[in-house]
Amino acid sequence: MEQSLETIFETVVARNPGEAEFHQAVREVFESLAPVLKKNRSYLDDKILERICEPERQIIFRVPWTNDKGEVQVNRGFRVEFNSALGPYKGGLRFHPSVYLGIIKFLGFEQIFKNSLTGMPIGGGKGGSDFDPRGKSDAEVMRFCQSFMTELYRHLGEYTDVPAGDIGVGGREIGYMFGQYKRITNRYESGVLTGKGLDWGGSLVRTEATGYGTVAFASEMLATRGESFDGKRVTVSGAGNVAIYAMEKIHQLGGTVVACSDSSGYVVDEQGIDVDLLKQVKEVERGRIGDYVARRSGAELGKSGSIWDIPVDVALPCATQNELNGEQAATLIKNGVKAVAEGANMPTTPEGVHAFQGAGVLFAPGKAANAGGVATSALEMQQNAGRDSWSFEYTEERLTGIMRNIHEMCASTADEYGAPGDYVMGANITGFVKVANAMQAFGLV
Ligand code: NDP
Ligand code: 2IT
């Protein structure tokens, strides 16, 4: 990293001790920015980098609730309102026991640049809790969500801050939170949350959007080398919202997903994952990957070290941060992987990213490849503002157009800055410049 950037980075680390994932996300962006600062020193003079690394507002709060035995439980809630230069804070809520401030800040920081790349009027934010929804009854999840929203509502609004889902937060949780927001505020403010149910202000394609969008981005990358998903073997890690709809789209395009996973292990299914069965196990029954294996002949639980040991043409990490490391990347490369696109946020470690790029593998960073989810959230906000609802076909067309545009911008920016094919640099620079210019236009804020 260039010296001026290294100095600012060291300050960020010192000011935010113990937040390893946040440091990692900041470093990755900074590593792309030297040529931008060379072209435009005013970003340094105006302290844009120092300002962009400091959230506009961070809210940390107590979330008390009672379990089904009547025992009092206490969790911690977070909302980091990172940057509102381009629009209201926008980004998901994550409910997972690993959540702490450093995770929410890394996700919120990524969200600033991702949302900028979508071309939609949305700023960056993220929130969540260390609440673990696994094994909880619907009634417990409801009481938790109501308590969470009882504090959070005062910070939200369709023009202020608009949460959505992320790990552990889907349609059920959004329903409980929207219901509580409506009750407390006495307002039917559809645009305050996205990922809503289709009967009460949700958008068609939002459920599918992140997975479909990731596959759209990967298709665009493959097309630059005259290739497509047709006939390709693919691994998709995870078995949640992003993973399931990535698999569905790959099969529509003629590829075969031979492996997927959850935190209990991975499954290998050489005939191709049966996505309908996986939806039944994961979305309806909230079961484990082993339940899929038990009901699918020919599928087996993976026995070797990791899901990345399986030889494939394309790999889509769609579970969680740092799930694909340098050694695993080397294995994928040895086995002939052609393209990797991040459906999850920051799933590849820096060593993994450098390995793929060094080997000439097409590599799409999450902030570009998984932007289809938040972009479709913005389309949901647009429909809510217009009291309108669009068809599946029209909404998917808009999503595909947005993903093509992001690919095009990342590729052309990488070309312009002398790093053709470097989608990491292309995404970081394109996302950053727009936010930085807006911050400068607003004066010192
Ligand atoms: P879900 O909760 O629907 O699914 C998450 C999946 O990842 C599950 O299979 C889960 O397994 C697995 N997983 C989660 N944490 C871990 C862990 N620590 N170790 C191993 N496996 C884990 O979440 P989503 O599909 O929505 O999110 C997946 C990723 O995509 C996240 O990185 C998220 O930030 C990102 N993302 C999501 C978007 C969205 O619209 N939902 C938009 C853009 C990015 P298990 O059930 O066993 O925990
Ligand atoms: O990481 C992400 O982009 C999301 N979890 C989706 C955010 C949103 O507001 O739809």
Side-chain angles (χ1 to χ4, degrees):
M1 224 188 318
E2 189 209 75
Q3 191 49 47
S4 55
L5 282 156
E6 189 70 54
T7 307
I8 303 168
F9 178 71
E10 279 164 18
T11 312
V12 171
V13 171
R15 283 169 65 77
N16 301 276
E19 297 177 355
E21 296 84 0
F22 178 50
H23 305 161
Q24 183 183 335
V26 171
R27 174 171 272 281
E28 192 242 25
V29 171
F30 277 21
E31 277 177 353
S32 299
L33 294 183
V36 181
L37 301 179
K38 207 167 159 199
K39 240 185 181 172
N40 186 346
R41 297 303 287 184
S42 74
Y43 294 143
L44 280 177
D45 298 337
D46 290 345
K47 302 271 194 293
I48 294 292
L49 295 174
E50 290 88 336
R51 283 155 63 192
I52 224 166
C53 291
E54 190 72 22
E56 291 176 14
R57 192 176 298 104
Q58 312 187 50
I59 303 139
I60 304 181
F61 51 100
R62 176 170 67 205
V63 190
W65 57 283
T66 49
N67 67 15
D68 287 343
K69 293 185 201 143
E71 295 161 345
V72 174
Q73 309 288 308
V74 181
N75 285 99
R76 188 169 290 173
F78 300 89
R79 187 73 183 166
V80 174
E81 299 182 333
F82 227 118
N83 193 296
S84 61
L86 299 183
Y89 310 107
K90 182 84 196 84
L93 297 170
R94 176 177 292 192
F95 293 170
H96 192 272
S98 62
V99 163
Y100 76 107
L101 186 60
I103 294 273
I104 301 298
K105 278 166 70 176
F106 116 65
L107 291 163
F109 187 74
E110 288 284 288
Q111 202 82 46
I112 302 170
F113 308 103
K114 181 196 304 192
N115 293 4
S116 165
L117 281 169
T118 66
M120 313 292 287
I122 42 180
K126 201 84 184 190
S129 175
D130 58 0
F131 173 73
D132 184 359
R134 178 119 44 92
K136 304 290 192 296
S137 69
D138 281 353
E140 288 175 322
V141 171
M142 180 186 75
R143 289 195 294 274
F144 174 81
C145 289
Q146 289 177 341
S147 180
F148 184 84
M149 187 52 90
T150 299
E151 172 57 32
L152 189 63
Y153 88 95
R154 72 193 77 243
H155 305 288
L156 307 183
E158 63 174 317
Y159 296 108
T160 307
D161 187 351
V162 183
D166 193 80
I167 289 177
V169 177
R172 175 182 61 170
E173 292 74 18
I174 295 293
Y176 293 144
M177 288 190 273
F178 185 72
Q180 186 72 351
Y181 183 87
K182 184 170 79 61
R183 189 177 179 199
I184 296 173
T185 59
N186 195 32
R187 281 164 62 84
Y188 205 109
E189 191 183 333
S190 300
V192 74
L193 285 171
T194 60
K196 297 182 295 296
L198 297 177
D199 296 329
W200 39 278
S203 173
L204 286 163
V205 190
R206 177 62 189 86
T207 302
E208 295 84 357
T210 313
Y212 279 22
T214 302
V215 174
F217 195 99
S219 298
E220 292 293 313
M221 288 201 305
L222 287 166
T224 64
R225 295 194 181 163
E227 305 228 37
S228 76
F229 270 101
D230 196 19
K232 295 281 188 302
R233 278 170 62 87
V234 186
T235 285
V236 176
S237 67
N241 173 262
V242 179
I244 285 175
Y245 292 94
M247 295 185 222
E248 182 169 281
K249 182 53 78 179
I250 290 161
H251 287 170
Q252 285 172 15
L253 297 178
T256 305
V257 179
V258 294
C260 68
S261 61
D262 67 14
S263 59
S264 64
Y266 68 95
V267 51
V268 183
D269 189 344
E270 287 290 342
Q271 314 155 72
I273 298 286
D274 178 340
V275 177
D276 288 336
L277 176 59
L278 189 66
K279 282 185 190 174
Q280 174 65 26
V281 168
K282 283 288 174 185
E283 293 183 337
V284 181
E285 299 167 19
R286 298 182 187 273
R288 311 300 292 146
I289 206 76
D291 303 330
Y292 173 91
V293 175
R295 277 142 76 174
R296 170 83 168 162
S297 66
E300 41 184 56
L301 282 175
K303 293 180 191 71
S304 76
S306 91
I307 193 171
W308 310 119
D309 292 341
I310 301 156
V312 284
D313 304 302
V314 181
L316 305 184
C318 295
T320 195
Q321 64 277 349
N322 292 327
E323 55 163 319
L324 202 181
N325 66 26
E327 266 174 49
Q328 293 162 333
T331 304
L332 280 165
I333 294 163
K334 181 169 63 74
N335 289 334
V337 75
K338 296 181 167 76
V340 177
E342 296 186 325
N345 285 306
M346 207 169 76
T348 317
T349 64
E351 296 74 27
V353 177
H354 294 144
F356 289 131
Q357 291 188 320
V361 173
L362 293 163
F363 178 80
K367 64 171 73 69
N370 72 38
V374 76
T376 308
S377 279
L379 298 178
E380 182 173 331
M381 292 162 74
Q382 203 175 321
Q383 291 168 78
N384 293 154
R387 304 276 189 269
D388 200 0
S389 55
W390 304 340
S391 70
F392 194 96
E393 291 68 27
Y394 176 71
T395 316
E396 190 180 3
E397 218 174 274
R398 291 283 304 263
L399 166 64
T400 311
I402 291 167
M403 296 315 296
R404 282 212 186 105
N405 188 44
I406 296 175
H407 176 272
E408 171 55 31
M409 285 190 305
C410 293
S412 60
T413 302
D415 285 346
E416 184 190 333
Y417 283 87
D422 186 342
Y423 291 97
V424 173
M425 188 181 240
N428 286 335
I429 294 180
T430 312
F432 171 81
V433 166
K434 208 164 141 189
V435 178
N437 290 348
M439 288 172 73
Q440 287 187 316
F442 296 154
L444 187 53
V445 287

